[in-house]
Amino acid sequence: MQSLQPDPRAQYQGVYEALKKIVRTEGLRGPLRGINVTVLGAGPAHALYFACYEKMKRTLSDVFRSGENSHLANGMAGSMATLLHDAVMNPAEVVKQRMQMYNSPYQSVLACVRTVRRTEGWGAFYRSYTTQLTMNVPFQAIHFITYEFMQEQINPHRQYNPRTHIVSGAVAGAVAAAATTPLDVCKTLLNTQENLALSSVNISGHLSGMANAFRTVYQLGGVAGYFKGVQARVIYQMPSTAIAWSVYEFFKYFLTKRNQEKRTPC
């Protein structure tokens, strides 16, 4: 849905229509193209992400407000964790998005990786890294601040409560996703290098850089172009962040409880 100059057969007016057309033209597996590379990268990326977040949150909270929760510390810790997370996930995003483009020539993840490396070099997998960070640093800052704020409101004692973690995670994901959609549109353009879109504004070769991406998006779609796919992005992020936080909080509770039981003498 974020394609700026889509094939006439891949023009969608809404999420449901897009899903229906993709299934009809590309089969039931169409909406899942690229999911294997996402799964492959998500494990190590999220392990680094949450480990860094917890460590930096404690360290920075002691600096800003000793012994108390600090929204500034939460935002900064989330931003720092993003540096590690995106270093792992950026190549996976490049492959996933190229495989998800309409009529994609890539039949498998390995074929996509080999073709991109051969035709564009290894740098192509990190062409949008700075753009990704430009998008994800504010995304994660908003995400973590919103999550911690929601927890203060509905779970002030910070007990393990799956319902509050799910609600807080969903709200945090929705707010952060909506606020950073313009950056995501630019990142998608840099990752996919849509030939039809670039040729329509007389750009030859490869587009690079956030400033160039912003300018190109505006030339192609005006202000509305920055918010293409915002509904799908919010719908995707809400369950994603809700699941991530609920699973993370469960294992945090489980491991903490087990360590406490080990320390308690029989």
PDB file of all heavy atoms in Angstrom, residues 81-104:
ATOM      1  N   ALA A  81      18.585   1.257  22.262  1.00  0.00           N
ATOM      2  CA  ALA A  81      18.314  -0.144  21.927  1.00  0.00           C
ATOM      3  C   ALA A  81      18.040  -0.311  20.442  1.00  0.00           C
ATOM      4  O   ALA A  81      18.342  -1.346  19.845  1.00  0.00           O
ATOM      5  CB  ALA A  81      17.129  -0.650  22.747  1.00  0.00           C
ATOM      6  N   THR A  82      17.493   0.734  19.826  1.00  0.00           N
ATOM      7  CA  THR A  82      17.163   0.692  18.405  1.00  0.00           C
ATOM      8  C   THR A  82      18.403   0.552  17.536  1.00  0.00           C
ATOM      9  O   THR A  82      18.347  -0.072  16.466  1.00  0.00           O
ATOM     10  CB  THR A  82      16.398   1.979  18.008  1.00  0.00           C
ATOM     11  OG1 THR A  82      15.233   2.081  18.822  1.00  0.00           O
ATOM     12  CG2 THR A  82      15.980   1.952  16.556  1.00  0.00           C
ATOM     13  N   LEU A  83      19.522   1.122  17.953  1.00  0.00           N
ATOM     14  CA  LEU A  83      20.761   1.026  17.174  1.00  0.00           C
ATOM     15  C   LEU A  83      21.156  -0.426  16.951  1.00  0.00           C
ATOM     16  O   LEU A  83      21.548  -0.816  15.846  1.00  0.00           O
ATOM     17  CB  LEU A  83      21.888   1.777  17.884  1.00  0.00           C
ATOM     18  CG  LEU A  83      21.714   3.285  18.072  1.00  0.00           C
ATOM     19  CD1 LEU A  83      22.860   3.845  18.896  1.00  0.00           C
ATOM     20  CD2 LEU A  83      21.631   3.991  16.725  1.00  0.00           C
ATOM     21  N   LEU A  84      21.052  -1.245  17.996  1.00  0.00           N
ATOM     22  CA  LEU A  84      21.399  -2.663  17.886  1.00  0.00           C
ATOM     23  C   LEU A  84      20.341  -3.432  17.120  1.00  0.00           C
ATOM     24  O   LEU A  84      20.651  -4.255  16.251  1.00  0.00           O
ATOM     25  CB  LEU A  84      21.567  -3.264  19.288  1.00  0.00           C
ATOM     26  CG  LEU A  84      22.711  -2.711  20.143  1.00  0.00           C
ATOM     27  CD1 LEU A  84      22.698  -3.356  21.515  1.00  0.00           C
ATOM     28  CD2 LEU A  84      24.052  -2.938  19.456  1.00  0.00           C
ATOM     29  N   HIS A  85      19.085  -3.164  17.435  1.00  0.00           N
ATOM     30  CA  HIS A  85      17.976  -3.860  16.785  1.00  0.00           C
ATOM     31  C   HIS A  85      18.006  -3.669  15.273  1.00  0.00           C
ATOM     32  O   HIS A  85      17.892  -4.627  14.488  1.00  0.00           O
ATOM     33  CB  HIS A  85      16.654  -3.346  17.357  1.00  0.00           C
ATOM     34  CG  HIS A  85      15.443  -3.905  16.692  1.00  0.00           C
ATOM     35  ND1 HIS A  85      14.875  -3.326  15.572  1.00  0.00           N
ATOM     36  CD2 HIS A  85      14.656  -4.986  16.986  1.00  0.00           C
ATOM     37  CE1 HIS A  85      13.820  -4.024  15.195  1.00  0.00           C
ATOM     38  NE2 HIS A  85      13.670  -5.026  16.042  1.00  0.00           N
ATOM     39  N   ASP A  86      18.181  -2.438  14.819  1.00  0.00           N
ATOM     40  CA  ASP A  86      18.114  -2.142  13.391  1.00  0.00           C
ATOM     41  C   ASP A  86      19.333  -2.640  12.623  1.00  0.00           C
ATOM     42  O   ASP A  86      19.248  -2.910  11.426  1.00  0.00           O
ATOM     43  CB  ASP A  86      17.937  -0.642  13.166  1.00  0.00           C
ATOM     44  CG  ASP A  86      16.532  -0.178  13.487  1.00  0.00           C
ATOM     45  OD1 ASP A  86      15.733  -1.011  13.942  1.00  0.00           O
ATOM     46  OD2 ASP A  86      16.226   1.011  13.295  1.00  0.00           O
ATOM     47  N   ALA A  87      20.469  -2.762  13.315  1.00  0.00           N
ATOM     48  CA  ALA A  87      21.654  -3.305  12.660  1.00  0.00           C
ATOM     49  C   ALA A  87      21.396  -4.742  12.204  1.00  0.00           C
ATOM     50  O   ALA A  87      21.925  -5.186  11.183  1.00  0.00           O
ATOM     51  CB  ALA A  87      22.849  -3.258  13.609  1.00  0.00           C
ATOM     52  N   VAL A  88      20.571  -5.465  12.948  1.00  0.00           N
ATOM     53  CA  VAL A  88      20.219  -6.843  12.593  1.00  0.00           C
ATOM     54  C   VAL A  88      19.048  -6.885  11.618  1.00  0.00           C
ATOM     55  O   VAL A  88      19.058  -7.647  10.642  1.00  0.00           O
ATOM     56  CB  VAL A  88      19.871  -7.660  13.867  1.00  0.00           C
ATOM     57  CG1 VAL A  88      19.415  -9.075  13.496  1.00  0.00           C
ATOM     58  CG2 VAL A  88      21.068  -7.716  14.802  1.00  0.00           C
ATOM     59  N   MET A  89      18.048  -6.035  11.849  1.00  0.00           N
ATOM     60  CA  MET A  89      16.808  -6.126  11.089  1.00  0.00           C
ATOM     61  C   MET A  89      16.828  -5.404   9.745  1.00  0.00           C
ATOM     62  O   MET A  89      16.008  -5.704   8.869  1.00  0.00           O
ATOM     63  CB  MET A  89      15.640  -5.578  11.921  1.00  0.00           C
ATOM     64  CG  MET A  89      15.167  -6.522  13.001  1.00  0.00           C
ATOM     65  SD  MET A  89      14.673  -8.159  12.395  1.00  0.00           S
ATOM     66  CE  MET A  89      13.239  -7.747  11.399  1.00  0.00           C
ATOM     67  N   ASN A  90      17.740  -4.456   9.532  1.00  0.00           N
ATOM     68  CA  ASN A  90      17.702  -3.689   8.283  1.00  0.00           C
ATOM     69  C   ASN A  90      17.870  -4.565   7.038  1.00  0.00           C
ATOM     70  O   ASN A  90      17.088  -4.445   6.083  1.00  0.00           O
ATOM     71  CB  ASN A  90      18.761  -2.584   8.296  1.00  0.00           C
ATOM     72  CG  ASN A  90      18.455  -1.487   7.303  1.00  0.00           C
ATOM     73  OD1 ASN A  90      17.731  -0.540   7.603  1.00  0.00           O
ATOM     74  ND2 ASN A  90      18.990  -1.596   6.100  1.00  0.00           N
ATOM     75  N   PRO A  91      18.854  -5.470   6.991  1.00  0.00           N
ATOM     76  CA  PRO A  91      18.952  -6.351   5.824  1.00  0.00           C
ATOM     77  C   PRO A  91      17.703  -7.219   5.634  1.00  0.00           C
ATOM     78  O   PRO A  91      17.267  -7.454   4.499  1.00  0.00           O
ATOM     79  CB  PRO A  91      20.177  -7.215   6.136  1.00  0.00           C
ATOM     80  CG  PRO A  91      20.977  -6.402   7.099  1.00  0.00           C
ATOM     81  CD  PRO A  91      19.966  -5.679   7.934  1.00  0.00           C
ATOM     82  N   ALA A  92      17.124  -7.681   6.740  1.00  0.00           N
ATOM     83  CA  ALA A  92      15.906  -8.491   6.654  1.00  0.00           C
ATOM     84  C   ALA A  92      14.752  -7.683   6.079  1.00  0.00           C
ATOM     85  O   ALA A  92      13.942  -8.199   5.291  1.00  0.00           O
ATOM     86  CB  ALA A  92      15.534  -9.028   8.039  1.00  0.00           C
ATOM     87  N   GLU A  93      14.662  -6.396   6.455  1.00  0.00           N
ATOM     88  CA  GLU A  93      13.615  -5.522   5.933  1.00  0.00           C
ATOM     89  C   GLU A  93      13.765  -5.318   4.433  1.00  0.00           C
ATOM     90  O   GLU A  93      12.776  -5.297   3.693  1.00  0.00           O
ATOM     91  CB  GLU A  93      13.658  -4.167   6.646  1.00  0.00           C
ATOM     92  CG  GLU A  93      12.969  -4.143   7.990  1.00  0.00           C
ATOM     93  CD  GLU A  93      11.455  -4.135   7.838  1.00  0.00           C
ATOM     94  OE1 GLU A  93      10.910  -3.236   7.196  1.00  0.00           O
ATOM     95  OE2 GLU A  93      10.829  -5.071   8.360  1.00  0.00           O
ATOM     96  N   VAL A  94      14.995  -5.140   3.969  1.00  0.00           N
ATOM     97  CA  VAL A  94      15.242  -4.950   2.535  1.00  0.00           C
ATOM     98  C   VAL A  94      14.729  -6.151   1.750  1.00  0.00           C
ATOM     99  O   VAL A  94      14.015  -6.011   0.762  1.00  0.00           O
ATOM    100  CB  VAL A  94      16.749  -4.734   2.265  1.00  0.00           C
ATOM    101  CG1 VAL A  94      17.029  -4.731   0.757  1.00  0.00           C
ATOM    102  CG2 VAL A  94      17.212  -3.420   2.879  1.00  0.00           C
ATOM    103  N   VAL A  95      15.093  -7.341   2.203  1.00  0.00           N
ATOM    104  CA  VAL A  95      14.680  -8.570   1.516  1.00  0.00           C
ATOM    105  C   VAL A  95      13.160  -8.741   1.596  1.00  0.00           C
ATOM    106  O   VAL A  95      12.503  -9.043   0.586  1.00  0.00           O
ATOM    107  CB  VAL A  95      15.389  -9.795   2.125  1.00  0.00           C
ATOM    108  CG1 VAL A  95      14.866 -11.088   1.508  1.00  0.00           C
ATOM    109  CG2 VAL A  95      16.899  -9.678   1.926  1.00  0.00           C
ATOM    110  N   LYS A  96      12.594  -8.535   2.775  1.00  0.00           N
ATOM    111  CA  LYS A  96      11.149  -8.716   2.954  1.00  0.00           C
ATOM    112  C   LYS A  96      10.357  -7.793   2.039  1.00  0.00           C
ATOM    113  O   LYS A  96       9.410  -8.218   1.364  1.00  0.00           O
ATOM    114  CB  LYS A  96      10.767  -8.445   4.407  1.00  0.00           C
ATOM    115  CG  LYS A  96       9.284  -8.658   4.707  1.00  0.00           C
ATOM    116  CD  LYS A  96       8.867  -7.980   5.996  1.00  0.00           C
ATOM    117  CE  LYS A  96       8.778  -6.483   5.836  1.00  0.00           C
ATOM    118  NZ  LYS A  96       8.189  -5.803   7.018  1.00  0.00           N
ATOM    119  N   GLN A  97      10.725  -6.514   2.003  1.00  0.00           N
ATOM    120  CA  GLN A  97       9.957  -5.549   1.216  1.00  0.00           C
ATOM    121  C   GLN A  97      10.094  -5.796  -0.279  1.00  0.00           C
ATOM    122  O   GLN A  97       9.147  -5.613  -1.035  1.00  0.00           O
ATOM    123  CB  GLN A  97      10.378  -4.126   1.578  1.00  0.00           C
ATOM    124  CG  GLN A  97       9.926  -3.734   2.975  1.00  0.00           C
ATOM    125  CD  GLN A  97      10.304  -2.315   3.344  1.00  0.00           C
ATOM    126  OE1 GLN A  97      11.253  -1.755   2.817  1.00  0.00           O
ATOM    127  NE2 GLN A  97       9.561  -1.724   4.261  1.00  0.00           N
ATOM    128  N   ARG A  98      11.258  -6.235  -0.727  1.00  0.00           N
ATOM    129  CA  ARG A  98      11.416  -6.538  -2.148  1.00  0.00           C
ATOM    130  C   ARG A  98      10.599  -7.762  -2.543  1.00  0.00           C
ATOM    131  O   ARG A  98      10.067  -7.828  -3.649  1.00  0.00           O
ATOM    132  CB  ARG A  98      12.899  -6.736  -2.490  1.00  0.00           C
ATOM    133  CG  ARG A  98      13.691  -5.430  -2.371  1.00  0.00           C
ATOM    134  CD  ARG A  98      15.056  -5.525  -2.990  1.00  0.00           C
ATOM    135  NE  ARG A  98      15.783  -4.280  -2.802  1.00  0.00           N
ATOM    136  CZ  ARG A  98      16.584  -3.745  -3.709  1.00  0.00           C
ATOM    137  NH1 ARG A  98      16.742  -4.329  -4.879  1.00  0.00           N
ATOM    138  NH2 ARG A  98      17.224  -2.621  -3.461  1.00  0.00           N
ATOM    139  N   MET A  99      10.501  -8.708  -1.650  1.00  0.00           N
ATOM    140  CA  MET A  99       9.701  -9.896  -1.941  1.00  0.00           C
ATOM    141  C   MET A  99       8.206  -9.593  -1.892  1.00  0.00           C
ATOM    142  O   MET A  99       7.411 -10.276  -2.541  1.00  0.00           O
ATOM    143  CB  MET A  99      10.046 -11.016  -0.953  1.00  0.00           C
ATOM    144  CG  MET A  99      11.440 -11.569  -1.131  1.00  0.00           C
ATOM    145  SD  MET A  99      11.732 -13.058  -0.156  1.00  0.00           S
ATOM    146  CE  MET A  99      10.664 -14.223  -1.014  1.00  0.00           C
ATOM    147  N   GLN A 100       7.818  -8.565  -1.140  1.00  0.00           N
ATOM    148  CA  GLN A 100       6.396  -8.241  -1.007  1.00  0.00           C
ATOM    149  C   GLN A 100       5.881  -7.319  -2.108  1.00  0.00           C
ATOM    150  O   GLN A 100       4.670  -7.127  -2.219  1.00  0.00           O
ATOM    151  CB  GLN A 100       6.145  -7.593   0.352  1.00  0.00           C
ATOM    152  CG  GLN A 100       6.233  -8.573   1.513  1.00  0.00           C
ATOM    153  CD  GLN A 100       6.008  -7.914   2.858  1.00  0.00           C
ATOM    154  OE1 GLN A 100       6.133  -6.694   2.991  1.00  0.00           O
ATOM    155  NE2 GLN A 100       5.669  -8.706   3.859  1.00  0.00           N
ATOM    156  N   MET A 101       6.775  -6.735  -2.913  1.00  0.00           N
ATOM    157  CA  MET A 101       6.328  -5.875  -4.003  1.00  0.00           C
ATOM    158  C   MET A 101       5.517  -6.690  -5.007  1.00  0.00           C
ATOM    159  O   MET A 101       5.781  -7.875  -5.234  1.00  0.00           O
ATOM    160  CB  MET A 101       7.519  -5.229  -4.707  1.00  0.00           C
ATOM    161  CG  MET A 101       8.304  -4.269  -3.829  1.00  0.00           C
ATOM    162  SD  MET A 101       7.326  -2.880  -3.225  1.00  0.00           S
ATOM    163  CE  MET A 101       7.083  -1.973  -4.755  1.00  0.00           C
ATOM    164  N   TYR A 102       4.527  -6.039  -5.619  1.00  0.00           N
ATOM    165  CA  TYR A 102       3.673  -6.738  -6.585  1.00  0.00           C
ATOM    166  C   TYR A 102       4.519  -7.294  -7.731  1.00  0.00           C
ATOM    167  O   TYR A 102       5.384  -6.617  -8.267  1.00  0.00           O
ATOM    168  CB  TYR A 102       2.604  -5.792  -7.143  1.00  0.00           C
ATOM    169  CG  TYR A 102       1.717  -6.453  -8.186  1.00  0.00           C
ATOM    170  CD1 TYR A 102       0.699  -7.320  -7.795  1.00  0.00           C
ATOM    171  CD2 TYR A 102       1.922  -6.222  -9.538  1.00  0.00           C
ATOM    172  CE1 TYR A 102      -0.100  -7.946  -8.735  1.00  0.00           C
ATOM    173  CE2 TYR A 102       1.118  -6.827 -10.488  1.00  0.00           C
ATOM    174  CZ  TYR A 102       0.103  -7.694 -10.075  1.00  0.00           C
ATOM    175  OH  TYR A 102      -0.681  -8.315 -11.013  1.00  0.00           O
ATOM    176  N   ASN A 103       4.248  -8.541  -8.092  1.00  0.00           N
ATOM    177  CA  ASN A 103       4.944  -9.201  -9.192  1.00  0.00           C
ATOM    178  C   ASN A 103       6.453  -9.249  -8.952  1.00  0.00           C
ATOM    179  O   ASN A 103       7.257  -9.094  -9.878  1.00  0.00           O
ATOM    180  CB  ASN A 103       4.666  -8.480 -10.520  1.00  0.00           C
ATOM    181  CG  ASN A 103       4.701  -9.443 -11.698  1.00  0.00           C
ATOM    182  OD1 ASN A 103       4.595 -10.643 -11.529  1.00  0.00           O
ATOM    183  ND2 ASN A 103       4.870  -8.907 -12.890  1.00  0.00           N
ATOM    184  N   SER A 104       6.833  -9.466  -7.708  1.00  0.00           N
ATOM    185  CA  SER A 104       8.247  -9.514  -7.350  1.00  0.00           C
ATOM    186  C   SER A 104       8.953 -10.635  -8.116  1.00  0.00           C
ATOM    187  O   SER A 104       8.432 -11.745  -8.243  1.00  0.00           O
ATOM    188  CB  SER A 104       8.396  -9.772  -5.844  1.00  0.00           C
ATOM    189  OG  SER A 104       9.748  -9.998  -5.515  1.00  0.00           O
TER     190      SER A 104
END
